[in-house]
Amino acid sequence: SSGINAEYGDADGDDWCNYLCDTYDKAVTQVKNTDICDVEFAGPGYVNYSKSYWWVGVPLIIYTIDRIVRWSRRFNPAVVYKAIEHPGPCLELRMRKKGWKQQAGQYVFLQCSELSLFEWHPFTLTSAPEENYLSVHIRKAGDWTGSLFKTVAKHAKDKTTREGKKAELNLQIAVDGPYGTPSDDIFKYKTTVLIGAGVGVTPYASILKSVWYKLKSGNFDFGVKKIYFYWLCSDASVFGWFTSVIREVVIELKELECSQYLEVRPHLTRFNNDKDMMENVAMNMDSEEDAITTLPGVKTRFGRPNWFKDFVDIGEKNPSTDIGVFFCGPAILSETLDKSCSLANAQLEENQTGSMFFYNKENF
């Protein structure tokens, strides 16, 4: 107000208008003379942004091209030939698509025209590149996935799908992808640590199967020599979604006498004093198969891992090695893992082991 009084005296209504007009004119003059903001003024109150169309138009064109490409994928759909319902419930869809190629750990967008013409949903591929089909595991958790379960059941000849039972289907689903993830770099490391939390285990199903196929074909020079696989679940029933896949890999590696390539460490991070489960664990303590995951030669650990201690231990067992840590799961756990890798690197440097961890994340 002191500025107004100095120039206009006691400001009444007209003086206020004059003051505001003068302030506006000064601002316009200042902006016109500023090189940072490349704009042209067509007159008081009107601004012509001479280059704004570049900032709006180019991204819009890229987005439009992406939409057109995705829409065109509808004309070369994948055909679902088999569906398997796993505990959870979790639905595994196996599809065939002409000219399909993928890498381990990648993901796709799926669209079912019987449900919606415009909805595309991302899912991680659980099939390996060496297989002649593509597969995804879909958890029932929403309207779209619930409707998909019903649609699959409708297309099945016997109106249902059950574990291990083949369902003859003729359902077409549009597939956009595949798209890469940080997991693409797994085979660059001789030693890798895979950490999947809950449904975050999906990309590692594809990777572990790919490792098994490479070893089965006699290819022992694909980069990776040791994999530590952490499988974290807060509910014991969640293990059922991928038990069949992981179990098959563990058994096949054992038959190939290549068990040293994979060390599975399942963790049940939460248990609510389930007496039946604890009794089952106690009764099968000496069994070859784990009472919770049914994996042979593997025992489920209760509680969360001590990441710092585990990383230091892994680093000392693999001296002078770059170790890749790959995580898929919630962001809050990702922060803990990133910090633990840094602390472990500092400890390993102090111990002069020559090992170093490189952290890669994929959050959902």
Side-chain angles (χ1 to χ4, degrees):
S1 60
S2 60
I4 300 175
N5 292 331
E7 189 170 354
Y8 296 97
D10 294 333
D12 56 15
D14 293 336
D15 291 334
W16 269 105
C17 291
N18 293 333
Y19 171 74
L20 293 175
C21 290
D22 287 347
T23 303
Y24 172 78
D25 291 338
K26 291 178 181 178
V28 169
T29 302
Q30 183 178 0
V31 174
K32 287 182 66 176
N33 295 330
T34 301
D35 294 334
I36 297 176
C37 185
D38 187 9
V39 296
E40 295 179 0
F41 283 80
Y46 298 93
V47 182
N48 176 24
Y49 292 88
S50 60
K51 292 187 178 181
S52 61
Y53 62 88
W54 285 105
W55 301 102
V56 177
V58 173
L60 184 60
I61 291 173
I62 295 175
Y63 175 80
T64 303
I65 293 174
D66 178 70
R67 295 296 97 182
I68 293 174
V69 171
R70 178 170 292 183
W71 183 262
S72 67
R73 301 283 171 85
R74 297 178 63 252
F75 301 101
N76 182 27
V79 178
V80 180
Y81 75 93
K82 184 177 182 180
I84 302 174
E85 188 172 356
H86 299 281
C90 176
L91 184 65
E92 178 186 354
L93 297 182
R94 295 188 180 182
M95 300 167 277
R96 291 195 176 98
K97 189 176 188 294
K98 185 178 180 181
W100 176 256
K101 292 182 180 180
Q102 68 166 93
Q103 293 183 14
Q106 294 185 320
Y107 72 97
V108 295
F109 287 89
L110 300 183
Q111 183 258 355
C112 181
S113 58
E114 294 189 25
L115 302 181
S116 173
L117 294 175
F118 304 102
E119 285 191 59
W120 293 80
H121 296 268
F123 295 97
T124 303
L125 291 166
T126 54
S127 53
E130 294 81 3
E131 294 173 319
N132 61 355
Y133 64 86
L134 63 135
S135 68
V136 294
H137 283 64
I138 301 174
R139 180 168 59 105
K140 190 175 183 179
D143 295 338
W144 191 86
T145 53
S147 299
L148 181 63
F149 271 61
K150 295 178 182 178
T151 301
V152 170
K154 183 180 67 174
H155 279 261
K157 285 185 177 181
D158 59 354
K159 303 300 181 182
T160 187
T161 57
R162 286 186 170 83
E163 177 73 34
K165 184 176 182 180
K166 186 175 181 180
E168 298 292 341
L169 303 176
N170 187 26
L171 175 63
Q172 293 187 343
I173 292 182
V175 179
D176 180 25
Y179 294 99
T181 66
S183 301
D184 294 345
D185 296 333
I186 281 179
F187 295 107
K188 295 180 180 180
Y189 298 94
K190 289 185 177 181
T191 303
T192 62
V193 181
L194 308 182
I195 305 172
V199 294
V201 71
T202 48
Y204 307 133
S206 171
I207 292 166
L208 294 179
K209 287 198 293 183
S210 182
V211 169
W212 168 63
Y213 277 111
K214 287 178 170 58
L215 294 173
K216 185 179 180 181
S217 65
N219 178 12
F220 297 93
D221 190 26
F222 56 89
V224 178
K225 299 300 181 183
K226 182 69 174 183
I227 297 176
Y228 297 89
F229 175 44
Y230 285 83
W231 189 3
L232 314 179
C233 292
S234 59
D235 189 337
S237 63
V238 178
F239 284 114
W241 300 350
F242 290 97
T243 294
S244 59
V245 175
I246 306 302
R247 177 184 171 85
E248 181 181 2
V249 172
V250 171
I251 293 176
E252 293 293 343
L253 287 178
K254 187 175 181 179
E255 291 180 356
L256 291 173
E257 297 183 352
C258 295
S259 299
Q260 72 276 10
Y261 277 84
L262 176 63
E263 183 175 329
V264 182
R265 299 182 178 183
H267 282 259
L268 183 61
T269 60
R270 185 187 307 166
F271 52 97
N272 300 319
N273 295 324
D274 189 332
K275 294 183 179 181
D276 293 336
M277 182 186 69
M278 299 307 295
E279 289 179 359
N280 186 31
V281 171
M283 291 177 62
N284 294 275
M285 189 67 68
D286 297 328
S287 176
E288 173 67 15
E289 292 188 352
D290 182 48
I292 297 177
T293 64
T294 70
L295 297 177
V298 176
K299 295 299 181 181
T300 299
R301 310 178 187 194
F302 294 89
R304 295 177 175 84
N306 185 330
W307 296 113
F308 170 73
K309 182 180 178 181
D310 284 10
F311 287 163
V312 171
D313 180 64
I314 291 173
E316 291 178 345
K317 289 181 178 178
N318 299 272
S320 302
T321 304
D322 289 342
I323 304 172
V325 178
F326 297 86
F327 170 69
C328 183
I332 187 171
L333 179 55
S334 177
E335 296 176 3
T336 301
L337 292 171
D338 191 10
K339 182 178 179 180
S340 298
C341 284
S342 299
L343 294 175
N345 284 336
Q347 183 64 48
L348 292 171
E349 184 178 1
E350 182 180 339
N351 297 344
Q352 298 182 350
T353 60
S355 301
M356 179 172 289
F357 289 92
F358 294 87
Y359 183 63
N360 305 266
K361 65 178 180 179
E362 181 181 349
N363 300 138
F364 58 78

